[in-house]
Amino acid sequence: MHPVRKKRLFVIMIILVLLGSVVSLIMYALQQNINLFYSPSQIVTGEAPYNANIRAGGMVVEGSVARDPETLAVSFEVTDFRHKVKIEFNGILPDLFREGQGIVAQGKLNSNGVFVATQVLAKHDEKYMPPEVTEALENAQNTSLNNTSNIQPTY
Amino acid sequence: MLPEIGQFSLILSLFFALSLAFVPLIGYWTGNRLLLETARPLTFIMSFLVLVSFVILGWSFAVDDFSVLYVSQNSNSQLPIWYKLSALWGGHEGSLLLWVLILVGWCSAVALKIKTLPKDIGPIVLSILGMVSLGFLAFLLFTSSPFVRLLPNAPADGGDLNPLLQDIGLIVHPPLLYMGYVGFSVAFAFAVAALITGSLNSSWARWARPWTAASWAFLTLGITLGSWWAYYELGWGGWWFWDPVENASFMPWLAGTALLHSLAVTEKRGVFKSWTVLLAIFTFSLSLLGTFLVRSGVLTSVHSFAADPTRGVFILTLLLILVGGSLLLYAVRAAQVRSSVSFGVTGREAWLLLNNILLTVLTLTVLLGTLYPLIFDALDLGKISVGAPYFNTVFTPIALLLIVFMAVGPLSKWHNTKPSVFLWPCLVSAVLSILISGVITFIYEFNLIAWLSLSVALWVVCLSFGDWFIKVSAGTKGIIPRARQLPRNYYGMLLAHLGIVVTLVGIVLVSLNSSESLLRLSPGDQASVAGYEFRFDALEQVKGPNYVADKGHFTAYKNGLPVAELHPEKRLFTTRQQVMTEAALDAGFTRDLYISLGEKLDGSAWGVRIYVKSFVRWIWLGGLMMMAGGLLAALDKRYKRRVNDHA
């Protein structure tokens, strides 16, 4: 082969190998680290997978926060006002975590239907609502409205 | 009355921006010198008017004029004066005004230095900057005016600044970050001006280089400060979260780094011309994309301003016009600037090409991870978030590879390098770095990744000093005169490269050698973390200017001797009833002690975070070194010369 062409081939080969490994690295990393969001209704109706990394969120139910007296373990319920899901967490909750506020948790759903969180996120501003939670609430509200309108009064 | 003058002044500056955007260009196309030379005065008047409205808004904050909606939303009469002033950029409208002020500041800087450019180019660069200013002034006036009044029912007091923002970090972080972000508009304007005039030669790259280096230095400092701020202010000791908005500032940084390097090739060898122009457009587009992501609320992020769809649409349109327009121009004109100089696979051109490929790949991986949730949502596949592990997995190996090559590149010569030039320095450095880091790894019982990363770090140190030594010991003159002869540019590069290494060491050690404990403690309890004993002495109630706080008293002991007293606080800001964690730090060169109060549990117990972070300061020290390197390169004497018009 002509030396110039040989050089070009060499460069192109290197770029291809590099690109190939980068693309496979990205594919691998994306597959491992995409966390889908599920609303309490989706979790209760069984749409969410068990033992996979997912995110869940909703409004923290008033009076549902229960702390372990000895450790940092805490549990609470979140709701989209149709269904409730229990979340367990071992750690320090963020400053803006409060009953009645919207939160998003990251973690896994165990086989008892309890969400075991590794991270709980509340937002930095009390006016702010995580968009996922807003949408989950809206969906829940829409379905409940549809359901009530379908029910004919029987009297 | 004053706020109306501020508003009016902004409207006037919009008209001057409009004139600046078109009059000099018309002058260029019709060959009318007079019109061309209006660029400079127009720029100064536009900048002055923006400055006037900025000062007026600052004044409204200082005198607590709560009849201005923006002031009433972001300030409070109880706020200390310096936070009142920095509250100016604590919300969307004011920070956008700061954005525009910095943009016109860069315009004026270019106008002041216009004599270093050929007669035609300078006004066109200003004209392009005028278009960008026009877009942002329109955005400010039509969707987010900070001067909207609440009359006649002005509130008695304001809603207060978000407590997270009541900090020195807010005073300095946004202005510096914007200096960098917006500064890339100058490189962008140079690129577009080059496409318009068709004079894309190596002197073009020489004008663009100091501007790019300066904005890069500011952006580096801004990002570094942001990371430092997040570390102590958010109360959980992280220094980088791969949050969409952090990524939004990091992507222009990566692209800007690539641009700095490709400009060097274009200047010295006249190759990569069209690529460099594309990169300049790309870098500024990423700055704009970042602005869009932060201000439209499309992504979930700690930085998000309250969402407003009209703003998102406006800025997306602006983005499309600027990026689309410049890319169209590029498509039409770039064919004329193909470079015909060839270079070998071992020449410095090739090394810098490799740098550009890897940096572009890094930018794209961050871009993909940041936008993936948006794409997913748009395709109705569900709501997702891309976790930090994605970025760590993809970013780390590519970045390490880049750093390995970063050390070798400076050894090379333009066009072609003899293999023997690399052989000895590389061999010696490789042996030295693997051995030394091996010993460190063995002593401190680090893992394999730490060994690898430390080797890479030492490799860069050895090769950088080796390269410097080879350069100064060549020739017959003594070492010191030779060392003084090397250009500032070179020392800037050396400093920035070593800065990368310092940051790398910081990142590796803080991730692998830190201890983090979440504990349940009551006053009187003790805990031991990483060889330190921490005693929770007492808890007291204190009162600040606009908050009340629980203040913890902790003492840290090492080998039975007290080394530090730490006072973390949990503050309740009375106006917003918002709770804030104020972490306590004992900073050190090799380790930070970090305590933050979590939540109050039952009785007297508190959830407490106690961290011992090793070498965390190095992350920001490296950032400072990179910034200094960038400034040094920007101030190289070569750029000061007046350019001959016929060059």
Side-chain angles (χ1 to χ4, degrees), chain B residues 22-101:
Chain B
F22 297 105
V23 173
L25 272 182
I26 294 169
Y28 172 72
W29 279 313
T30 56
N32 187 331
R33 283 238 76 85
L34 195 69
L35 290 185
L36 205 56
E37 273 163 20
T38 56
R40 235 179 136 208
L42 282 174
T43 307
F44 289 135
I45 299 171
M46 172 185 78
S47 312
F48 177 74
L49 289 168
V50 174
L51 182 67
V52 166
S53 51
F54 187 84
V55 170
I56 287 177
L57 189 60
W59 178 256
S60 302
F61 269 97
V63 300
D64 294 327
D65 185 354
F66 296 122
S67 69
V68 178
L69 174 66
Y70 180 72
V71 178
S72 76
Q73 280 171 344
N74 290 285
S75 184
N76 183 277
S77 54
Q78 300 296 307
L79 211 58
I81 179 70
W82 52 91
Y83 292 145
K84 276 182 189 167
L85 291 178
S86 58
L88 202 170
W89 51 83
H92 165 76
E93 291 87 350
S95 65
L96 194 64
L97 182 59
L98 177 70
W99 215 101
V100 174
L101 179 76

Side-chain angles (χ1 to χ4, degrees), chain A residues 60-86:
Chain A
V60 180
V61 179
E62 301 273 354
S64 69
V65 179
R67 293 179 195 281
D68 184 297
E70 296 299 317
T71 65
L72 287 172
V74 57
S75 76
F76 54 89
E77 289 178 329
V78 292
T79 179
D80 55 5
F81 300 118
R82 275 179 64 76
H83 296 281
K84 290 176 185 173
V85 170
K86 187 176 179 190

